[in-house]
Amino acid sequence: MAALLVLLVLVKSCQGIVYNYSNECKIYKLGYPIDEARILAATLTDEQADSLIAHQEHDTIAIPLLGERYFIIDNFHRYIAYHKNDTTDAPLDVIVAMVNMGRDRDWESSAVPCDTSMGQLMLVNGRHYLDEHYKPDSLVTFNKNYCYEGQKAQRAVVDAFMTMQKACKEQTDAQLMVNSAYRSYKDQIGTYKRSPKGYAARAGSSEHQTGFAIDVTSRQHPMRWPFDTSEEGIWMREHCHEYGFILRYTQKQSQIFGFAYEPWHLRYVGLETAKRIHDEDITFDEYYAYYIEPHTKSKGTK
Ligand SMILES: [Zn+2]
């Protein structure tokens, strides 16, 4: 009987020692309430928990972060680091969006080649770049009645634009026109030099090089800014997703994320993606980070 009691005491104290080595206990000792420590220990990978413990990270946003719509576990530490350095008091959803888009990094020094195998879903921005040799396989010229100066784009883009402009004409009586579509790396060097600061991407960082981007105005409002407030400009913003396009840089997003508003710049991503981006009101960068990148990483293709 006495031996059994000694054994029980030994097992209990042994369990205590083991518990001290658990992530739950170590996270609890950082200052988190026990129920939060339990949630964090169950959610984080061992590597992430080790890092949290090593950096003595105790942050009030740790638990609320886990409930964010676009939370990506691999970005956990970057969200916390962003929050610590943030002087703007950004809400959690903005912190998550900024980090997911890679805006917490210096884009030039952390730049990565664009994964062109993604086709119409390839991401090109200041961080994901195309090299000077990239050119779409097959470019189609727009009918000259619908573009200025003979523009070219990928076949799917030309077809979708033609369907969209027809619907716009029927509903607003205005004729949409393509101002600019495919631009080579070399063309973009010139565009960048000619454009006001913030309104053109550096060569290699422009979606126009993919052949999936078009700048649109109308015959009635050929200049970009009156087009923005014209009936057809508003129609295009509201309906372009029905044809597989997204407005890449919206006014609302520019106010939140600080990039230039471009009411004329459409990006073709296909019907399904365009609808989701429209319905969820997110940027393509956020869409790519949340819906595409984790899957390409797990397949080892990136
Ligand atoms: Zn553009």
Side-chain angles (χ1 to χ4, degrees):
M1 188 63 191
L4 188 64
L5 234 122
V6 170
L7 190 67
L8 271 174
V9 170
L10 269 174
V11 167
K12 193 131 183 68
S13 64
C14 188
Q15 278 173 343
I17 293 165
V18 171
Y19 181 74
N20 280 336
Y21 285 101
S22 70
N23 284 343
E24 180 184 312
C25 178
K26 288 178 188 168
I27 293 171
Y28 170 68
K29 284 179 182 166
L30 295 177
Y32 290 94
I34 189 64
D35 54 335
E36 293 190 3
R38 237 166 241 160
I39 296 169
L40 284 168
T43 311
L44 303 180
T45 62
D46 278 350
E47 204 181 314
Q48 287 164 337
D50 286 349
S51 176
L52 186 85
I53 294 155
H55 293 96
Q56 299 273 306
E57 270 173 7
H58 178 244
D59 196 302
T60 50
I61 70 164
I63 291 289
L65 262 179
L66 304 179
E68 272 301 311
R69 169 78 176 82
Y70 298 103
F71 173 81
I72 297 171
I73 188 77
D74 287 349
N75 291 344
F76 181 73
H77 287 290
R78 286 167 57 203
Y79 300 136
I80 289 187
Y82 188 95
H83 179 240
K84 283 195 172 143
N85 296 323
D86 178 38
T87 52
T88 64
D89 209 15
L92 271 190
D93 60 338
V94 172
I95 293 175
V96 168
M98 291 294 259
V99 170
N100 287 0
M101 290 192 287
R103 299 288 290 269
D104 57 327
R105 291 172 161 154
D106 173 51
W107 276 15
E108 268 185 58
S109 61
S110 68
V112 288
C114 163
D115 182 357
T116 55
S117 72
M118 297 307 301
Q120 66 191 31
L121 295 181
M122 70 173 89
L123 176 65
V124 175
N125 56 26
R127 185 157 178 265
H128 296 76
Y129 63 88
L130 291 165
D131 68 38
E132 58 191 309
H133 305 295
Y134 178 78
K135 192 184 173 192
D137 289 337
S138 60
L139 291 167
V140 178
T141 307
F142 285 91
N143 180 304
K144 65 178 182 331
N145 294 319
Y146 306 104
C147 75
Y148 298 106
E149 299 171 23
Q151 299 290 333
K152 292 177 179 174
Q154 303 256 12
R155 157 80 59 197
V157 180
V158 176
D159 291 347
F161 173 79
M162 290 307 286
T163 312
M164 179 174 73
Q165 67 78 24
K166 190 165 176 280
C168 180
K169 182 101 174 74
E170 282 165 9
Q171 293 173 40
T172 69
D173 207 30
Q175 179 61 62
L176 293 180
M177 299 288 287
V178 174
N179 250 336
S180 183
Y182 167 72
R183 293 200 291 262
S184 69
Y185 188 94
K186 216 171 138 202
D187 294 337
Q188 190 63 25
I189 295 175
T191 304
Y192 182 70
K193 280 185 186 156
R194 287 192 304 273
S195 301
K197 200 174 180 311
Y199 275 99
R202 231 176 246 281
S205 304
S206 169
E207 287 192 317
H208 286 278
Q209 196 185 337
T210 67
F212 288 115
I214 50 176
D215 293 340
V216 180
T217 56
S218 70
R219 201 183 287 286
Q220 290 76 2
H221 298 93
M223 302 302 286
R224 289 167 163 184
W225 288 114
F227 172 72
D228 169 41
T229 49
S230 68
E231 190 190 355
E232 62 273 23
I234 295 165
W235 183 94
M236 188 180 85
R237 280 206 295 282
E238 287 173 358
H239 294 277
C240 67
H241 67 280
E242 295 161 19
Y243 305 91
F245 291 105
I246 53 163
L247 194 66
R248 185 70 169 88
Y249 309 105
T250 70
Q251 189 159 32
K252 183 186 149 203
Q253 291 158 352
S254 79
Q255 282 160 359
I256 300 171
F257 304 127
F259 50 67
Y261 169 44
E262 293 193 17
W264 53 82
H265 180 104
L266 296 186
R267 164 66 194 268
Y268 184 80
V269 288
L271 280 175
E272 195 187 326
T273 301
K275 185 176 182 326
R276 177 164 261 174
I277 287 176
H278 172 267
D279 292 352
E280 297 186 21
D281 195 14
I282 53 177
T283 60
F284 182 53
D285 310 66
E286 290 170 270
Y287 175 88
Y288 193 89
Y290 190 74
Y291 289 111
I292 298 182
E293 210 159 29
H295 309 290
T296 58
K297 270 180 190 161
S298 65
K299 278 192 293 183
T301 53
K302 186 134 190 222

